[in-house]
Amino acid sequence: MTDTMYPTAVEFGSLDEIRQTAMGVLPADVADFLEGGAGAERTLLANREAFRRWTIAPEPMSGVSGPDTATTLLGIPLAVPLLSAPFGGDAMFHPDGHRAVARAAAATGVVDIAPEAGSFSYADVRASAPASARIAQLHPFVGAAAVADRIADAGYDALCVTVDCPIGGFRTRNMRNRFSPDLAPFSGNVPTTVDDGPRVADVMGQLMSGGGSAWDWDDLASAACGFPLPWIAKGVLSPTAAGRALDAGAAGVVVSNHGGRQVDPAPASLAALPGVRAAVGPDVPVLVDSGFRSGADVFLALALGADAVILGRSVVYGLAAGGEAGVRRVFELMTEELRVLMTLAGADTVADITSDRLVEVTP
Ligand SMILES: Cc1cc2nc3c(=O)[nH]c(=O)nc-3n(C[C@H](O)[C@H](O)[C@H](O)COP(=O)(O)O)c2cc1C
């Protein structure tokens, strides 16, 4: 399979078109693995519904032209407040997997988060785009400190620790399809034995099959003492969990319900965001993901307190539809819509995107 099999990715006019193309090339069970959520998929739906509560107040004659979308996160510069989510099994969607995502991210000033359960090693992803792929994700599980060392050796700047996946969610579509994705990192990311005990090479296989991780915040705090890089905790939905993460040493949090793939029903990420921001104060980096499909969605999250937004399925659609060029197109479309909305709403910079630019829809 090569890129030449795909439609010309630069011509995609919308994310919807990209998604349709992706659905046309993916086998049905892989498409279900991608699209599906846990349980009755109420969280999946709630993530999208939450955006309908808010509208953007136009600002006529604002004088803004050419707004600046740049920002920084943990000292890392971003051309636009977007990151690409860690998603495992990436070669199922395109043979270049996260290497293509990292290259597309580098070309557009987006930061990629390389997954532990990915199809390529942290080092491979990093090397495919030396100027990007600066964050890597891992699971809080026996051997986490050794994995963190590998990530640092590979040249990353920060860690993303997934705290909402001690076991895989009850993924209904996969069960119906008898589909068990091969999430074993065939990459060598994961040492099989480390100083603090055995770490099963197929860490995700173990988590997904119900073996699970029994770590609590104290275990994570102990391991994190040895982390050579700053880390953010991905998967908090409450002020309490955010506080525990910061107490454990996290430099920031990701408000996330894992794209509706874990607890069902769970709160929508966008709905949980303002409470988390209020609890941690203005200076702690707060990211958000789950359900983001447009530049308008990104604008709303920034206005409700996020510093940046992580894109999951949106990126996978681009990857499946057109490899690196498809992912680049997704980032370009999101960035362009955000830029247009900043202009129309009178926001010169990302910091100008505040809640007073929103109007709540009355039910
Ligand atoms: C196919 C797929 C695989 C994923 N694998 C992981 C993973 O290995 N680790 C992780 O922390 N999150 C994983 N996620 C969750 C994403 O990082 C992210 O939280 C989620 O996709 C955001 O929601 P969205 O897809 O609606 O944008 C995965 C998501 C998808 C769609």
Side-chain angles (χ1 to χ4, degrees):
M1 198 157 43
T2 68
D3 268 1
T4 55
M5 287 177 57
Y6 295 98
T8 311
V10 287
E11 289 172 1
F12 287 131
S14 69
L15 185 65
D16 217 37
E17 199 180 322
I18 295 172
R19 181 180 166 277
Q20 291 297 335
T21 305
M23 292 304 125
V25 298
L26 293 176
D29 51 3
V30 175
D32 263 345
F33 167 65
L34 170 62
E35 292 286 75
E41 301 191 340
R42 286 168 62 186
T43 312
L44 194 66
L45 189 66
N47 281 335
R48 295 295 305 142
E49 290 292 311
F51 290 103
R52 299 163 68 91
R53 180 172 163 199
W54 301 102
T55 57
I56 300 167
E59 189 160 316
M61 305 299 293
S62 72
V64 171
S65 82
D68 182 5
T69 57
T71 188
T72 57
L73 190 74
L74 302 169
I76 302 171
L78 286 81
V80 60
L82 292 176
L83 296 91
S84 174
F87 54 90
D90 37 313
M92 276 190 293
F93 306 112
H94 187 280
D96 286 344
H98 253 277
R99 297 189 302 192
V101 178
R103 287 195 296 265
T108 48
V110 171
V111 166
D112 179 38
I113 305 178
E116 178 171 23
S119 309
F120 302 95
S121 71
Y122 294 125
D124 237 9
V125 176
R126 186 78 179 90
S128 66
S132 181
R134 294 183 182 158
I135 300 180
Q137 174 269 342
L138 70 161
H139 294 90
F141 199 48
V142 63
V147 176
D149 285 342
R150 288 192 175 202
I151 291 171
D153 290 346
Y156 287 84
D157 297 319
L159 307 170
C160 171
V161 179
T162 299
V163 296
D164 64 356
C165 191
I167 56 169
F170 191 80
R171 310 268 172 91
T172 324
R173 296 197 208 189
N174 293 350
M175 294 169 72
R176 189 186 62 211
N177 295 334
R178 275 85 177 156
F179 182 72
S180 9
D182 181 6
L183 291 178
F186 14 111
S187 52
N189 277 348
V190 182
T192 44
T193 52
V194 289
D195 289 347
D196 43 355
R199 186 182 176 93
V200 179
D202 180 6
V203 60
M204 276 312 285
Q206 175 151 347
L207 300 184
M208 298 295 285
S209 66
S213 162
W215 275 25
D216 62 16
W217 289 112
D218 293 335
D219 297 316
L220 177 54
S222 303
C225 288
F227 286 174
L229 295 171
W231 60 281
I232 54 175
K234 173 175 176 286
V236 304
L237 287 167
S238 69
T240 307
R244 296 301 302 265
L246 298 182
D247 289 347
V253 295
V254 183
V255 179
S256 170
N257 55 38
H258 216 106
R261 299 164 81 84
Q262 290 296 100
V263 173
D264 187 83
S269 288
L270 193 78
L273 171 63
V276 170
R277 168 53 81 197
V280 303
D283 299 329
V284 170
V286 173
L287 294 82
V288 65
D289 77 14
S290 301
F292 288 80
R293 303 288 180 266
S294 70
D297 296 344
V298 174
F299 188 103
L300 295 183
L302 297 175
L304 291 169
D307 293 304
V309 169
I310 302 178
L311 304 173
R313 293 180 184 83
S314 300
V315 169
V316 187
Y317 299 149
L319 181 63
E324 177 187 342
V327 177
R328 205 168 57 231
R329 192 72 187 125
V330 169
F331 294 147
E332 284 168 1
L333 287 166
M334 293 269 187
T335 302
E336 190 49 28
E337 187 180 357
L338 179 65
R339 200 187 306 277
V340 167
L341 286 171
M342 287 174 72
T343 306
L344 296 175
D348 251 322
T349 66
V350 169
D352 290 337
I353 305 176
T354 49
S355 60
D356 54 7
R357 299 191 183 278
L358 301 190
V359 178
E360 190 169 357
V361 176
T362 40

